[in-house]
Amino acid sequence: MPIENSVLMYPEKTQRIERYEELQDAIYAKRDEIKKMESTKEDLEADIDEKYEELGDLEREVTEL
């Protein structure tokens, strides 16, 4: 049976397949978004750690004065 006939005979199945594909695309996009956020989070955590080290250095210098 050609695809065109299948689409006409089973429109609900076609709609479900289309919805499935849309959901899969949304899932992949959301996973990519999360991965980007996680890498940003890691970068921010590293920046914060660096700032705390700088703060510690400044505080030590103050106590030495």
Side-chain angles (χ1 to χ4, degrees):
M1 172 182 322
I3 293 175
E4 294 81 17
N5 290 342
S6 175
V7 169
L8 294 173
M9 293 180 65
Y10 304 104
E12 66 282 347
K13 185 175 182 180
T14 302
Q15 290 173 346
R16 290 183 71 200
I17 291 171
E18 288 173 355
R19 181 64 181 148
Y20 175 82
E21 291 171 350
E22 289 173 359
L23 291 171
Q24 287 296 320
D25 290 344
I27 288 169
Y28 290 127
K30 190 58 66 177
R31 285 182 180 159
D32 287 344
E33 185 179 334
I34 290 169
K35 285 180 185 177
K36 287 178 186 174
M37 291 176 77
E38 286 174 344
S39 65
T40 300
K41 177 184 172 189
E42 292 168 0
D43 291 344
L44 288 172
E45 287 173 342
D47 289 346
I48 289 170
D49 290 343
E50 182 180 325
K51 295 300 178 191
Y52 271 118
E53 287 177 22
E54 291 172 4
L55 175 62
D57 292 343
L58 292 171
E59 290 174 338
R60 273 190 295 283
E61 189 175 338
V62 166
T63 57
E64 291 172 2
L65 293 176

